Amino acid sequence: MQNSDKLIIETNHLSFGFSKDKIVLQDINLQIPRGSIYGFLGPNGAGKTTTIRLLLNLLKPDHGSITVLGESVRNASVNLFSRIGALIETPSLYEHLTGFDNLQVTAGIRNIPKSRVLEVLEILQLSRDADKHVKNYSLGMKQRIGLALALLSSPDLLILDEPTNGLDPNGIIEIRELLLHLNRDRGVTILVSSHLLSEIEKLVTHIGILDQGKMVFQGSLKHLQAIRQEQSVIEISTDRNNVAMEVLLNNKLVAKIGKEFLEVQYLDQFQVSAIIGLLTKAGVAIYRMQLIESSLEQTFLSFINKN
Amino acid sequence: MNLLDIELIKLKNTFALWLTFVGALFLPLLLFTTYLFESQEFLPAPRINPWYDYLLRTFNGCCFFSLGFILLIIGLILNIEHKANSWKQLFTLPVRRGRLYRAKTTLIFSVITVFFLLYFVFAITSGQLLGLIKPSLGFRQYRVPYDYIFRFLLDLFVSIIPMIIIQYWISFRMRNLITSLGMGLFGLLMGLLLKNWDHIIYLPYATPFQMLNYKETDVLNRQHFYLVNAGYSLLFIVLSYKDFTKRFQG
């Protein structure tokens, strides 16, 4: 359990259902450290958007509590939301207005000067298209305007629900660079949801995996990488697998006989030469040896499939 | 920035804004062309102010046609938010929901007020023009009875306030413009069908039809009429406000 002071978002035993028969979230205990980039992962329909709507007080939980920036969301003051920037699902844009007017609407409500609107347009490389009607924007430009809306108030916390939806690879890289910059240089804590780990694994410091309304993993990226390593194996084929197995077990290696090969749990690169040495010394002929690494994506999927 | 100013930004380039002008022009233009091409039918009797007859037609048209335009204008104003899927975005901004409700209500009443003002500006202008083009119609010989217009406008406005609030409530609840508009038109239709019912004053969508054939010396039980409408307005404002601020999820 993390120290509560260091958490920017914390939920305790959060549950929610749209009706008694349709439970969407069960016992969610989110812990998002200050200064982190928290990747909120899960397949479509896992409950990510519902959780985000609960964090933003758009829905009321059935059970449990939510604390954001040290304030209970249920009794939150209006000021709390001046410190949060959010992009929920597709950006909410007035298509009959220009990009500039769209930002001006939010800026007006937040009492933000026009100079900041122009600055945000510049950051998101939208200055040239600011006077075009949003209905003429590409999907990527709309997504960037949505991000611009979230960034207007220079928030302490950014909550982004699938922000790279509809973006091409270049767009995804640009957004990633921008978010990394905001986190690193301005100390913005970011919660970013996605259904694809590959999209955000280069961005996040922490990960929470949600499946069918339950948290199946929560921790740092390093923790997930350690789990991935645990799932990596060295496959070995020899002339005498039984003898080889005995040698490996006698040397306290975690090994088992798989469908075709011997499987040894991979620890580090030095292990490979050590195994070759042990088996050669025991007179076992090695025909094949291969490191089968589990990707983060497979690790992520293994959590979901397990659930 | 004032929330009403922000609402006005949203109104730019919308059909709601165009409809406010075009809808207000529709009936005065129709009356103008009818008077112009059928002027023999409308020649006033000697020493009779033609404005009263002309204005009565304007009022009746207002009772029949303007209500449909008003329902459509309210629906279109709320549809700006539904179409942009922006309620959720607005509710995550540092502004109380009550202020959003009040800003939207103020905008709706402002647009409707502008609609009626334009309607009568166009109607009076068209009468003056007719007086110039067809002097025999007598519009230039008599003064416009502004107090008559003012009294009608006051009564009509009071009579439609509950309907406006209900329609506002329906329109923010229903994402589909056709559904909200259909419900409003059904209300109007019921009002028209039950026009002669003894207790018609208690049916908010029917009250405007009580203004048909409005006479300057109308025998409307004014005190009761104002009380009923004030009561309804207060009730629907409280209920819709509570719904918007406590239950509505966007």
Side-chain angles (χ1 to χ4, degrees):
Chain A
M1 199 83 166
Q2 297 241 17
N3 182 346
S4 288
D5 294 343
K6 290 181 181 167
L7 297 175
I8 207 157
I9 294 180
E10 187 177 19
T11 69
N12 283 308
H13 307 292
L14 189 67
S15 298
F16 176 80
F18 287 106
S19 66
K20 277 184 183 172
D21 307 328
K22 202 180 170 196
I23 306 296
V24 181
L25 296 171
Q26 283 180 62
D27 202 28
I28 303 296
N29 295 294
L30 273 183
Q31 294 198 322
I32 303 183
R34 193 176 291 273
S36 64
I37 304 182
Y38 188 99
F40 195 32
L41 285 165
N44 290 333
K48 301 186 295 292
T49 302
T50 306
T51 309
I52 287 174
R53 290 177 81 109
L54 283 161
L55 295 178
L56 293 167
N57 206 20
L58 291 169
L59 296 171
K60 305 267 178 267
D62 296 336
H63 300 287
S65 62
I66 305 167
T67 310
V68 176
L69 292 155
E71 255 190 80
S72 163
V73 165
R74 204 156 192 177
N75 313 307
S77 64
V78 165
N79 287 341
L80 174 66
F81 292 101
S82 63
R83 298 173 63 195
I84 302 173
L87 169 64
I88 316 156
E89 297 169 305
T90 49
S92 304
L93 301 173
Y94 302 104
E95 301 225 336
H96 62 287
L97 298 180
T98 62
F100 177 80
D101 279 341
N102 266 278
L103 290 183
Q104 195 64 17
V105 166
T106 299
I109 295 175
R110 286 185 180 272
N111 284 323
I112 289 166
K114 189 181 166 186
S115 56
R116 174 65 184 162
V117 173
L118 298 173
E119 190 186 328
V120 171
L121 283 167
E122 193 62 46
I123 291 171
L124 285 148
Q125 296 168 14
L126 286 163
S127 301
R128 273 196 323 167
D129 301 300
D131 293 330
K132 279 188 192 164
H133 286 122
V134 168
K135 63 182 169 214
N136 297 322
Y137 279 16
S138 68
L139 203 59
M141 284 163 81
K142 285 180 184 171
Q143 205 69 12
R144 277 189 280 156
I145 276 280
L147 265 173
L149 288 171
L151 290 178
L152 264 179
S153 61
S154 311
D156 295 327
L157 170 64
L158 257 183
I159 297 179
L160 308 172
D161 190 9
E162 315 225 0
T164 50
N165 252 357
L167 294 183
D168 58 21
N170 276 339
I172 293 175
I173 293 167
E174 278 172 22
I175 297 295
R176 187 197 301 151
E177 295 300 318
L178 172 71
L179 296 180
L180 281 169
H181 159 73
L182 287 170
N183 175 257
R184 203 173 40 221
D185 302 336
R186 301 199 183 175
V188 180
T189 305
I190 301 170
L191 164 64
V192 54
S193 82
S194 177
H195 56 276
L196 294 172
L197 177 63
S198 56
E199 246 180 32
I200 57 166
E201 66 172 296
K202 287 182 186 152
L203 174 70
V204 299
T205 56
H206 291 73
I207 281 179
I209 300 176
L210 191 69
D211 187 37
Q212 292 174 33
K214 291 178 190 161
M215 285 296 280
V216 289
F217 173 82
Q218 180 167 236
S220 65
L221 185 66
K222 281 183 186 158
H223 186 185
L224 191 69
Q225 281 163 337
I227 292 172
R228 178 196 69 168
Q229 192 154 329
E230 279 169 22
Q231 291 176 354
S232 300
V233 292
I234 303 167
E235 286 183 350
I236 308 168
S237 168
T238 66
D239 60 342
R240 287 174 294 155
N241 279 356
N242 289 340
V243 176
M245 182 73 182
E246 207 179 312
V247 170
L248 295 170
L249 291 175
N250 286 342
N251 283 278
K252 298 192 168 52
L253 289 163
V254 181
K256 65 176 184 178
I257 297 178
K259 280 181 188 167
E260 289 181 64
F261 310 108
L262 286 177
E263 289 176 4
V264 182
Q265 190 191 332
Y266 175 71
L267 299 176
D268 55 47
Q269 56 188 334
F270 305 111
Q271 199 188 10
V272 179
S273 59
I275 291 171
I276 293 171
L278 284 171
L279 295 180
T280 313
K281 202 174 161 187
V284 176
I286 302 168
Y287 298 149
R288 180 179 173 278
M289 204 163 174
Q290 189 178 6
L291 174 62
I292 307 292
E293 274 190 298
S294 165
S295 67
L296 272 182
E297 196 73 43
Q298 282 167 320
T299 313
F300 161 56
L301 288 173
S302 73
F303 278 112
I304 289 168
N305 295 335
K306 213 186 288 174
N307 193 38
Chain B
M1 197 186 273
N2 185 312
L3 279 184
L4 186 61
D5 293 339
I6 293 164
E7 289 297 330
L8 288 172
I9 293 178
K10 292 183 203 170
L11 208 57
K12 277 204 283 188
N13 314 320
T14 59
F15 185 48
L17 189 63
W18 283 106
L19 194 69
T20 308
F21 292 96
V22 176
L25 186 63
F26 174 70
L27 204 88
L29 195 66
L30 198 72
L31 267 181
F32 178 79
T33 46
T34 316
Y35 266 70
L36 192 64
F37 295 111
E38 307 283 339
S39 53
Q40 290 305 315
E41 302 277 325
F42 303 107
L43 289 178
R47 287 188 297 282
I48 294 291
N49 184 343
W51 281 105
Y52 283 100
D53 188 45
Y54 175 76
L55 285 174
L56 191 63
R57 291 175 211 279
T58 311
F59 294 166
N60 283 347
C62 194
C63 293
F64 272 115
F65 291 103
S66 64
L67 301 178
F69 281 121
I70 286 168
L71 295 184
L72 189 55
I73 287 170
I74 297 171
L76 287 169
I77 287 176
L78 271 301
N79 202 42
I80 294 172
E81 306 297 349
H82 293 314
K83 209 172 149 193
N85 201 13
S86 55
W87 291 114
K88 61 178 173 21
Q89 183 73 24
L90 287 172
F91 292 159
T92 59
L93 295 176
V95 57
R96 295 206 178 279
R97 284 186 180 208
R99 283 190 64 207
L100 291 174
Y101 176 93
R102 286 196 295 275
K104 205 59 110 182
T105 316
T106 311
L107 176 78
I108 286 171
F109 275 100
S110 307
V111 169
I112 292 170
T113 306
V114 169
F115 174 86
F116 281 126
L117 288 178
L118 284 174
Y119 183 89
F120 280 97
V121 166
F122 290 143
I124 294 165
T125 312
S126 126
Q128 299 284 13
L129 270 175
L130 283 167
L132 273 177
I133 302 166
K134 299 266 181 190
S136 55
L137 288 171
F139 286 112
R140 302 288 288 176
Q141 282 100 57
Y142 292 90
R143 58 174 285 277
V144 181
Y146 286 107
D147 48 343
Y148 179 37
I149 298 173
F150 177 75
R151 203 169 309 126
F152 170 78
L153 265 176
L154 182 70
D155 282 349
L156 181 73
F157 213 82
V158 169
S159 77
I160 60 172
I161 291 174
M163 184 195 82
I164 293 172
I165 298 163
I166 296 172
Q167 197 60 32
Y168 170 42
W169 191 2
I170 292 172
S171 300
F172 72 68
R173 272 297 184 176
M174 303 279 163
R175 291 185 69 87
N176 190 324
L177 176 64
I178 306 294
T179 314
S180 60
L181 190 62
M183 288 170 83
L185 289 174
F186 178 76
L188 285 183
L189 188 70
M190 290 307 290
L192 200 57
L193 289 174
L194 300 172
K195 193 161 66 73
N196 298 321
W197 182 38
D198 287 346
H199 304 292
I200 194 66
I201 197 162
Y202 298 106
L203 189 65
Y205 280 82
T207 349
F209 297 119
Q210 299 303 294
M211 300 293 131
L212 282 171
N213 298 318
Y214 187 84
K215 297 278 188 308
E216 200 173 19
T217 53
D218 223 329
V219 286
L220 265 180
N221 183 345
R222 280 212 155 65
Q223 202 178 359
H224 187 57
F225 166 77
Y226 284 131
L227 270 176
V228 167
N229 281 294
Y232 269 153
S233 301
L234 198 66
L235 175 72
F236 296 131
I237 278 197
V238 170
L239 292 177
S240 60
Y241 180 87
K242 274 190 85 103
D243 186 44
F244 187 87
T245 52
K246 305 280 181 210
R247 295 168 65 93
F248 182 51
Q249 287 172 355

